[in-house]
Amino acid sequence: MYLHELERGAAQLNQTWATIGKLRLLRSTLALADSAQRDWLLSGEPQHLDAVRAHLATFDDTLVQANVLLKGRPEQATNLAALARTAAAKR
């Protein structure tokens, strides 16, 4: 029984670290999209707009992955949903 508890704890810890990794990726991807958008607004060069679109696509994919990791954690899933709504409103 003790070994089973350790394995379950290790699995939960791994899921926590995976979630943290996805949240960090969401944050950095939004920062990159914001920077690319500023570059596009200042320069008008289309490659910057392409970068914005690519970063937002990465954000969307990562958001889906983070939602999967947060199943069974309703409070955290609610916070992630709020982030998704805020990001969608700024598009």
Side-chain angles (χ1 to χ4, degrees):
M1 184 73 136
Y2 181 70
L3 181 59
H4 178 69
E5 291 172 1
L6 287 175
E7 289 172 344
R8 187 173 40 133
Q12 289 173 340
L13 183 61
N14 286 338
Q15 182 178 8
T16 297
W17 280 112
T19 302
I20 289 169
K22 293 300 176 191
L23 295 175
R24 287 178 176 166
L25 182 57
L26 285 171
R27 182 182 60 200
S28 64
T29 302
L30 282 178
L32 290 169
D34 184 58
S35 177
Q37 184 178 29
R38 277 193 310 271
D39 290 344
W40 176 69
L41 289 171
L42 291 171
S43 70
E45 296 175 4
Q47 71 266 20
H48 297 296
L49 189 54
D50 293 341
V52 172
R53 291 181 180 133
H55 293 308
L56 291 177
T58 299
F59 177 84
D60 291 340
D61 292 343
T62 305
L63 190 62
V64 169
Q65 295 166 7
N67 272 313
V68 170
L69 290 169
L70 291 177
K71 280 193 175 180
R73 298 179 180 190
E75 184 178 330
Q76 292 176 346
T78 299
N79 292 337
L80 190 61
L83 172 65
R85 284 190 303 275
T86 301
K90 295 194 179 272
R91 289 187 181 190

